[in-house]
Amino acid sequence: MTITAGTSHRPQPEAGAQSSQPAITPPGGSPGPQRQEASRTGGPGHRPAQQTVAAWAALRRRYWATVPARLRLLRAATIVLAAALALLLTLAGLAALGTWNSVADRDAPRTTSAADLDLALNDMDAQAANILLSNGDAGKGRLQTPYQKAVGFYGDARKEIGHDLRTLAVAAQGDKTDEKTVESLTDDFAEYQELIGRALENDGHHGGKASALVDYRKATDLLQQQLVPAARTLVSSNDKAFDAEYSSARSTLSSQLTAVVALGVLLLAVLGALQWYLARRFGRNLNPGVLAATVCTLLAVLLGAQLLTSTADDLRGARRDAFDSVVALSRAQAIAYDANADESRYLLDPGRRDQYAASFLTKSQELYGVKGATLTTYDTELATTWQAYESDHHDLRFTGEFRRELDNITFAGERAAAETTVETYAVYQRDDRKIRALLAAGKEDQAVEFCMGWEPGTSNAHFGAWMAALDKVTDINRAHFTASTDEGRSAVTGLLPWAGGLLLAAMALTALGLRPRLAEFR
């Protein structure tokens, strides 16, 4: 037997057998098997990063690595974007309807109610002066036709004021400043009616004209110093509120249009990518379902954009083209009635004739302003500046409410109606000079009869012709305001359902178009 030094032949343990000897820790703290494994994997601190990578890998395998996963992802993106676009258009459409409801049912009516209140207050005061002027001495020497008409107009104006105050009280709810203004107007109007009632009662007694004039002075001072300024404050306040809402609505519509176009382009891009992938992967030129969905989406985006742009255009037409003129003309009418009242006050109250003459000129300048004109030169200056305008419609040498209207001519027939208004106004102005000339000549009875008469050629008849012309141009703008609001509402109710329906169809067509392709992988 041969013995080899330094070698030993021992049987090797079988796989999986455990050694009977205890594990020996290497000197120097060498890592064991577990520490070696941790060292190979980067240590415990690297496990979250590995888990994140693994999660992304799993998501990629599930949602993108395979053809069905990619198709489902593109289908989901299409449906989500289409639903988002439909929701955006729905919210935009509802907001637009809310804007139209506010414009037509709140903003415009409360502004015009304030203007109507201003007009009715001045008309009531003018008719009170006319009653006192035409009544004679307790009915003796009464001018029957002017008296009866003045009494009728007085009652109509009083009813109109009551209606306007109720409308403005409702409109002012929530606005502390306007609420206080309407409350003050209501209290002051009650005091005004009491003073006028006392004046008319005194005028019914023989020799009571002087006492009636004292009460009328108090009433008309209250009107001019408190009632009319408060009414005009409400006109401005309500008009500014309307204008602020208009600006906000236009800005919102612009933002919504940008969002609709952006979402629409993104949706069309996803549909285009889906069509390209189907053609590339399956060797087909076009998928009919996806193609039909693309057409529906394109039409929906176009309809949505048209809805928003037409709403913005109609809103501008209602506010800027039509209602700006309505406000200017309503102010002009209220000022006209106030100026007409100044003529009656001028004849009624000799002690205040200079005051009322100056007030008449001031109101004339508010209507048709001519720099530096006096009552003596006003007619000549008016004729000269108007002739310049007729020669060149861009040559406007005057200011005032009529200038505001002529700067905003928009609709068919509006310019001719506005020009007629100025021309009839010029006739009325010449009548005023005749009244003053008759009075200066000592012909007071003739001046009163010419001022208050309704026969053709008298001042009241010419005033009526002027107001009819003013009403005509106002009605043109009111009609277009109403038409713009109706068109705006129709655009929303007509286009929104179609746009929403097309987007729903796009979602359904996309799902149907992909269904056969996905079925190939089942």
Side-chain angles (χ1 to χ4, degrees):
M1 178 176 66
T2 304
I3 300 174
T4 304
T7 63
S8 168
H9 295 277
R10 296 178 182 175
Q12 298 296 319
E14 296 180 1
Q18 295 181 354
S19 172
S20 61
Q21 296 183 1
I24 300 174
T25 301
S30 300
Q34 292 179 353
R35 290 185 181 181
Q36 291 173 1
E37 177 65 23
S39 176
R40 285 193 298 270
T41 60
H46 288 257
R47 288 176 184 171
Q50 291 176 345
Q51 292 172 354
T52 301
V53 171
W56 276 109
L59 287 173
R60 184 177 181 279
R61 286 192 300 272
R62 182 172 181 181
Y63 294 110
W64 189 253
T66 65
V67 172
R70 293 171 187 169
L71 293 178
R72 293 190 187 98
L73 181 62
L74 289 170
R75 180 182 64 185
T78 300
I79 291 173
V80 168
L81 288 172
L85 183 56
L87 179 62
L88 175 60
L89 285 174
T90 299
L91 294 176
L94 293 175
L97 285 176
T99 298
W100 285 122
N101 291 336
S102 296
V103 165
D105 301 332
R106 186 191 66 189
D107 296 329
R110 69 184 185 182
T111 303
T112 54
S113 290
D116 290 343
L117 175 64
D118 185 10
L119 186 155
L121 286 168
N122 288 307
D123 188 25
M124 184 175 174
D125 198 61
Q127 300 310 326
N130 289 339
I131 291 171
L132 296 175
L133 266 176
S134 59
N135 191 39
D137 184 6
K140 185 179 180 180
R142 175 183 293 171
L143 302 174
Q144 288 296 337
T145 299
Y147 179 83
Q148 291 172 0
K149 283 187 174 290
V151 169
F153 292 147
Y154 176 88
D156 293 342
R158 184 169 59 181
K159 291 178 183 177
E160 178 64 26
I161 292 168
H163 175 267
D164 291 334
L165 285 172
R166 289 191 295 272
T167 301
L168 291 168
V170 173
Q173 291 179 358
D175 187 322
K176 296 299 182 182
T177 302
D178 283 356
E179 284 180 355
K180 186 176 180 180
T181 302
V182 174
E183 183 179 350
S184 176
L185 267 168
T186 303
D187 292 340
D188 290 340
F189 180 60
E191 183 181 352
Y192 172 82
Q193 288 188 93
E194 182 179 350
L195 289 168
I196 290 294
R198 193 189 311 165
L200 296 178
E201 181 181 359
N202 287 333
D203 192 53
H205 302 305
H206 179 71
K209 189 72 71 178
S211 298
L213 183 57
V214 171
D215 291 323
Y216 179 76
R217 277 184 175 181
K218 293 178 182 179
T220 196
D221 287 345
L222 176 64
L223 180 100
Q224 293 296 322
Q225 295 169 13
Q226 292 180 234
L227 286 165
V228 168
R232 292 180 182 176
T233 296
L234 282 177
V235 175
S236 297
S237 173
N238 290 321
D239 191 43
K240 286 179 181 177
F242 184 3
D243 203 50
E245 180 161 349
Y246 161 79
S247 299
S248 176
R250 290 267 298 179
S251 177
T252 300
L253 286 167
S254 179
S255 300
Q256 290 169 340
L257 178 61
T258 301
V260 165
V261 172
L263 267 179
V265 169
L266 184 58
L267 177 55
L268 289 169
V270 170
L271 286 167
L274 177 57
Q275 188 73 264
W276 173 83
Y277 183 73
L278 288 169
R280 179 174 175 272
R281 180 62 182 81
F282 294 94
R284 293 177 174 86
N285 291 330
L286 292 172
N287 181 289
V290 176
L291 178 61
T294 303
V295 173
C296 288
T297 299
L298 179 61
L299 290 174
V301 172
L302 292 175
L303 289 177
Q306 182 183 352
L307 184 156
L308 296 173
T309 54
S310 63
T311 298
D313 290 343
D314 288 332
L315 189 60
R316 187 190 185 287
R319 172 65 219 198
R320 291 286 174 255
D321 296 340
F323 200 75
D324 279 359
S325 290
V326 170
V327 172
L329 294 165
S330 296
R331 284 175 173 156
Q333 195 167 34
I335 295 169
Y337 273 82
D338 199 5
N340 192 47
D342 276 333
E343 280 188 335
S344 297
R345 296 169 188 139
Y346 179 84
L347 293 171
L348 178 67
D349 192 348
R352 288 189 173 185
R353 279 180 178 163
D354 289 343
Q355 173 185 330
Y356 291 137
S359 178
F360 182 89
L361 177 61
T362 297
K363 287 153 192 168
S364 298
Q365 293 279 30
E366 290 176 2
L367 293 169
Y368 189 106
V370 183
K371 187 176 180 180
T374 65
L375 281 177
T376 304
T377 63
Y378 187 85
D379 291 343
T380 302
E381 294 293 334
L382 189 157
T384 300
T385 55
W386 187 247
Q387 186 177 7
Y389 165 80
E390 288 181 317
S391 299
D392 178 5
H393 288 167
H394 298 288
D395 187 357
L396 293 101
R397 306 178 190 178
F398 52 92
T399 60
E401 300 299 341
F402 291 144
R403 167 68 182 270
R404 288 183 61 189
E405 164 56 15
L406 289 167
D407 281 339
N408 195 39
I409 298 296
T410 309
F411 310 113
E414 185 180 4
R415 183 177 297 278
E419 290 174 353
T420 300
T421 300
V422 177
E423 289 161 2
T424 53
Y425 166 75
V427 174
Y428 172 76
Q429 284 287 333
R430 291 194 293 271
D431 286 348
D432 175 77
R433 310 307 173 256
K434 182 176 180 179
I435 292 170
R436 298 180 198 279
L438 287 170
L439 194 62
K443 301 176 181 179
E444 184 172 349
D445 291 342
Q446 293 182 35
V448 170
E449 291 176 4
F450 180 74
C451 177
M452 301 187 61
W454 288 93
E455 297 79 10
T458 59
S459 179
N460 266 344
H462 289 153
F463 181 79
W466 174 29
M467 290 301 98
L470 190 56
D471 284 339
K472 183 176 180 180
V473 67
T474 304
D475 289 343
I476 290 172
N477 284 280
R478 286 183 188 273
H480 281 279
F481 174 81
T482 302
S484 292
T485 57
D486 290 343
E487 289 171 6
R489 284 169 166 161
S490 297
V492 176
T493 56
L495 297 176
L496 183 59
W498 281 101
L502 286 168
L503 288 170
L504 290 175
M507 289 187 270
L509 288 167
T510 301
L512 291 173
L514 292 179
R515 187 174 181 181
R517 303 289 76 79
L518 289 171
E520 296 176 10
F521 296 91
R522 292 175 185 169

